Amino acid sequence: MHDALFMRYPSLYSWGYRNLFRRKVQYACDHADTIIAISEQTRRDIIDYFHADARKIKVVYQGCNNRFRQPITDEQVAMVKKRYNLPERYIVDVGALEPRKNLHTLIRAMAWAHIDLPLVAVGGQSRYGDEAAALAEKMGIKLLFLHALPFDDLPIVYKGAVCSVYPSVFEGFGIPILESLCVGTPVLTSTGSCFSET
C-alpha cells in the first residue's frame, strides 16, 4: 500500500477512482495475510481508513535507483547545465506537475521571501504547470521546466542544484527527497505526512 490519498483528499480524485480503489483496498486489507506499507504514515492511514489489523501490517520503506548513489563529477554537472541551459545556481523541484505537489505555493513562498534564484521544475507537461508558469511570471520568479528529462540526467540535475525543494501536500513516501539526499543535495520539504521518515 503506497498511500490513502484518495481517502484523505477526495477532491483530488474522481468519484469513480475513489469508489474503485476504496473497494479494492478494503477487500485487500480484509483478506491479505500481510500488508506492506511504505511508511509509518501509510500504516496509520491503512488502520484509520480501512480498519486493518495492525498486527499484519509491515512497514518496508521504499528505496531509489542506485544511479542516485553513483559519484557525480563537476564535469558531468557542467555538461548537463550546458545541455539544458541551466543557470549556475538554481533550486530544483522534482515531481508531477499537479496541485497536490504544491508548486504554486513554492512559487509564492519564493516571491514572499525574495529568493532570487531560478526554480527548475522537473515533471511532465500539464495545465497545472502552465498555470505555474503564469504565476511565476506574475510573481517575478524565474521558472524553467524540464519536461522530458532523461533518467540518467536526473541525478546530475539534483547534484547541480543549490537545494531540492519538495513542497508536496501529502505523500506515502516522497522518493524525490531520498533521491536528492543520495546525491548529497540538501532538501527543504513540507512538515507532516511521511517526509521526516523519508
Side-chain angles (χ1 to χ4, degrees), residues 84-87 90-91 118-122 141-146:
Y84 299 107
N85 199 26
L86 298 177
Y90 60 88
I91 294 170
L119 173 60
V120 176
V122 179
I141 298 298
K142 184 173 182 182
L143 176 60
L144 309 167
F145 289 104
L146 294 177

Side-chain angles (χ1 to χ4, degrees), residues 21 42 96 102 105 123-124 127 162:
F21 275 86
T42 296
N102 227 2
T105 300
R127 180 184 301 154
V162 171

Side-chain angles (χ1 to χ4, degrees), residues 4-178:
L5 291 169
F6 59 95
M7 299 293 286
R8 185 179 288 277
Y9 296 101
S11 63
L12 298 176
Y13 300 88
S14 69
W15 177 86
Y17 182 100
R18 291 191 322 265
N19 189 45
L20 173 66
F21 275 86
R22 182 185 48 76
R23 288 187 291 121
K24 284 172 65 172
V25 171
Q26 188 64 65
Y27 180 87
C29 288
D30 292 343
H31 294 89
D33 295 322
T34 302
I35 302 167
I36 296 173
I38 63 169
S39 64
E40 286 292 339
Q41 179 64 60
T42 296
R43 179 183 179 279
R44 288 191 300 273
D45 286 349
I46 294 169
I47 294 167
D48 292 346
Y49 290 113
F50 300 103
H51 311 291
D53 181 349
R55 294 170 299 181
K56 65 181 185 179
I57 303 172
K58 310 289 184 215
V59 174
V60 180
Y61 288 118
Q62 287 190 284
C64 67
N65 191 294
N66 278 333
R67 177 66 186 90
F68 294 93
R69 293 176 181 87
Q70 308 283 325
I72 297 170
T73 67
D74 292 342
E75 291 77 18
Q76 287 174 295
V77 171
M79 282 174 43
V80 162
K81 284 181 177 179
K82 184 176 181 183
R83 182 177 305 140
Y84 299 107
N85 199 26
L86 298 177
E88 184 56 34
R89 292 171 48 82
Y90 60 88
I91 294 170
V92 68
D93 172 69
V94 176
L97 298 176
E98 61 184 45
R100 179 171 55 91
K101 302 295 186 176
N102 227 2
L103 180 59
H104 293 189
T105 300
L106 174 55
I107 292 165
R108 287 186 187 97
M110 289 178 66
W112 177 83
H114 306 289
I115 295 174
D116 191 22
L117 285 172
L119 173 60
V120 176
V122 179
Q125 213 160 0
S126 69
R127 180 184 301 154
Y128 182 79
D130 295 340
E131 292 166 358
L135 178 63
E137 185 173 350
K138 177 181 169 186
M139 298 286 210
I141 298 298
K142 184 173 182 182
L143 176 60
L144 309 167
F145 289 104
L146 294 177
H147 289 305
L149 185 69
F151 178 75
D152 284 345
D153 289 343
L154 180 57
I156 304 169
V157 169
Y158 276 121
K159 184 71 175 178
V162 171
C163 69
S164 172
V165 181
Y166 195 67
S168 182
V169 172
F170 210 90
E171 297 289 333
F173 185 72
I175 290 176
I177 296 170
L178 182 59

